[in-house]
Amino acid sequence: MPDPHDPHALARAADAGDFEAAHRLAVLAAIGLGLPQDWRVAMDRLAQAATLGHPTAAQQRDLLANGATIDLAAWLTPPAPRMLSEGPAIFAIDGFLPDAVCDWLKDRAGAVSEPALVYDPETGEGRRESVRTNDAARFDLPRMDVVLAVVRERIARAAGLPVPGLEWTQVLHYAVGQTFDWHVDWLDPALPGYAADLAARGQRIATCLVFLNDDFEGGETAFEAGGLKHRGRKGDALMWANTLPDGAIDRRTRHAGLPPTSGEKWVLSQWLRGRAPNR
């Protein structure tokens, strides 16, 4: 495969019959990486990848079409949120994703999940900690597909934040007893390990969770402020602001992913910033 970051080389390879290149071009056009974001081009390249025999392109197209033609306007218009808390600002979005897309994301994550990491405050790198015992699948560019690109766009529009400010998506898996204990998602500007990251990408303005299943007990997302505990149905989203309107961190957003007491919990996790990360 040609350089996966070079759209011109990818276009030549795709037009010569390379289905991986066609699929990569679809992803790049969908997320606006290396070339302007263009959903028409993304869908055309996805169709080309399917025609050329890409192993999942036709399935992705069918998922987005849901038995009809792909209605991009509907995909890119998320449902209205409802407020759960004003301080901190926490919102639920019912019916954010259809069941079939939830299943697609869960199945893809199940094949690549690894022990989840936490941010090291000294180095800014990931590390294992007893505070977090669940697994996670990180979908960086090589793992990105067009379905996930549409989901990310939907999240960005629901939050009113730019798509280039989204970090790579993670899908989290919690078995019985696994937890992500009390923590915050914002990066503390007083810690030197975060300085370069904050200067380059800005603060984590918001967090979005999408519940990919609901056949488990327990496993709520709990917030310290106000004692709120929330567990959505399959396809519902939970979103909250990590910062105040003036840009300062909101220290009231300390929260935890409580352990399931039966079954397994799968949830998509998306951090949103104000500027594009270095990819």
Side-chain angles (χ1 to χ4, degrees):
M1 184 174 174
D3 183 349
H5 300 280
D6 183 346
H8 300 294
L10 288 168
R12 290 192 296 270
D15 292 341
D18 186 333
F19 60 68
E20 290 289 358
H23 184 260
R24 180 57 59 86
L25 278 173
V27 170
L28 294 180
I31 64 177
L33 181 60
L35 71 170
Q37 187 184 42
D38 189 319
W39 287 105
R40 182 189 59 78
V41 170
M43 295 305 154
D44 287 348
R45 288 296 188 180
L46 182 63
Q48 180 189 29
T51 299
L52 291 173
H54 187 277
T56 69
Q59 190 176 357
Q60 292 179 61
R61 190 177 54 184
D62 291 345
L63 276 172
L64 294 172
N66 192 26
T69 57
I70 298 174
D71 186 348
L72 275 175
W75 274 111
L76 304 182
T77 306
R82 55 185 176 89
M83 181 169 282
L84 300 179
S85 167
E86 290 189 25
I90 306 171
F91 303 88
I93 310 176
D94 301 329
F96 189 77
L97 290 181
D99 285 0
V101 171
C102 293
D103 293 340
W104 171 263
L105 296 169
K106 181 170 70 72
D107 291 346
R108 287 210 60 211
V112 294
S113 288
E114 299 176 338
L117 305 177
V118 299
Y119 237 41
D120 188 316
E122 297 300 323
T123 67
E125 300 296 325
R127 71 180 187 191
R128 289 286 289 155
E129 280 285 351
S130 59
V131 69
R132 190 176 193 187
T133 57
N134 66 297
D135 293 334
R138 182 173 181 265
F139 287 89
D140 54 9
L141 184 58
R143 290 177 174 169
M144 181 73 66
D145 62 32
V146 178
V147 171
L148 182 53
V150 171
V151 172
R152 286 164 57 89
E153 179 78 27
R154 196 167 170 85
I155 290 171
R157 294 193 179 208
L161 292 169
V163 173
L166 273 63
E167 296 188 30
W168 294 124
T169 305
Q170 296 185 69
V171 171
L172 312 180
H173 170 245
Y174 295 81
V176 170
Q178 290 185 331
T179 183
F180 191 176
D181 212 345
W182 295 100
H183 65 286
V184 294
D185 289 345
W186 45 262
L187 306 179
D188 192 339
L191 297 177
Y194 298 148
D197 194 357
L198 286 168
R201 302 195 279 182
Q203 187 57 263
R204 284 177 176 160
I205 297 172
T207 298
C208 180
L209 302 179
V210 183
F211 298 91
L212 302 182
N213 72 316
D214 55 17
D215 52 343
F216 60 92
E217 299 297 329
E220 299 93 342
T221 301
F223 290 85
E224 199 170 53
L228 174 67
K229 292 183 180 179
H230 182 79
R231 202 194 105 172
R233 299 179 68 85
K234 183 177 181 179
D236 293 347
L238 179 69
M239 186 177 291
W240 65 90
N242 295 309
T243 59
L244 299 167
D246 64 1
I249 54 177
D250 190 342
R251 297 183 180 275
R252 300 169 297 176
T253 56
R254 193 164 183 258
H255 62 284
L258 301 182
T261 56
S262 68
E264 300 180 9
K265 172 185 173 182
W266 292 87
V267 59
L268 178 148
S269 175
Q270 183 66 63
W271 289 317
L272 300 94
R273 306 215 195 184
R275 298 194 294 275
N278 296 319
R279 293 168 170 154

